[in-house]
Amino acid sequence: MRRSILLVVLVLVAGLAGCGVLDRNDEDDKLARLLDEGATVSVFLREDVTDAERVGVETRLKAVPDNTGVTYESKEQAYAKFKELWEKSNPEFLEKVEPGSLPESFRVQMTNMAALRKVKESPLEAEVKALPGVQDVIFPGCTTVDECKKKLAPSATP
């Protein structure tokens, strides 16, 4: 009798552990989908960018393999997003930033994170950074589920 109870408990524990693994895999799948949806490279323009340089940057970005769209954001649009983001949570910080002080930019939406990683690992990043009018190229802080988990995990402090 004890043996059968022990066996039932072991089966239940194994089943629950399996469910935990499935839940973790589901969480990983959800995170991977979110990453793919947010597979965007940001290209910030210099303060003194000319119209011709802006057009040249946009033309080059539209030729990036596996992009699904290139979106321009003006200084005014950038400030409106910034204001929306900080207005409620930190109005003091908002007061320190002047309208027009945020740079113009382009957002390059990629098909997924795998495509974004290819761009990041290729000479293309340096090529885009070297374009006249470009201030910086910014990739997401993490591009894989494991990278994101490591960044989000609480650091062990002694």
Side-chain angles (χ1 to χ4, degrees):
M1 181 74 154
R2 277 189 174 183
R3 191 172 210 190
S4 44
I5 291 174
L6 181 59
L7 186 58
V8 168
V9 169
L10 287 175
V11 168
L12 286 174
V13 169
L16 291 175
C19 289
V21 169
L22 287 176
D23 289 345
R24 179 162 291 139
N25 288 338
D26 286 345
E27 288 175 17
D28 288 357
D29 290 345
K30 287 178 187 176
L31 183 53
R33 281 192 301 275
L34 286 172
L35 285 173
D36 284 343
E37 289 170 11
T40 304
V41 179
S42 298
V43 178
F44 292 95
L45 303 179
R46 294 171 42 103
E47 179 70 28
D48 60 350
V49 65
T50 66
D51 289 340
E53 290 170 337
R54 189 180 303 103
V55 169
V57 171
E58 183 176 19
T59 300
R60 179 60 188 101
L61 294 176
K62 286 182 176 180
V64 170
D66 297 318
N67 88 74
T68 59
V70 175
T71 307
Y72 170 76
E73 185 174 86
S74 69
K75 290 179 173 215
E76 295 78 18
Q77 290 168 320
Y79 184 74
K81 279 186 179 179
F82 175 81
K83 185 176 176 182
E84 184 179 314
L85 180 66
W86 293 101
E87 196 165 38
K88 293 179 184 170
S89 64
N90 194 343
E92 297 84 27
F93 181 55
L94 180 63
E95 291 173 7
K96 295 176 184 176
V97 178
E98 297 289 322
S101 61
L102 298 173
E104 299 172 68
S105 62
F106 286 101
R107 302 287 184 271
V108 183
Q109 181 68 43
M110 302 300 294
T111 54
N112 55 38
M113 275 297 177
L116 184 138
R117 283 190 299 275
K118 281 185 197 175
V119 169
K120 187 175 182 181
E121 295 164 359
S122 76
L124 186 61
E125 177 184 6
E127 179 188 326
V128 171
K129 277 185 178 181
L131 289 173
V134 172
Q135 177 180 324
D136 206 357
V137 177
I138 306 294
F139 288 87
C142 58
T143 62
T144 67
V145 170
D146 288 339
E147 282 178 352
C148 292
K149 283 182 170 182
K150 287 177 185 173
K151 288 189 180 211
L152 294 174
S155 60
T157 53

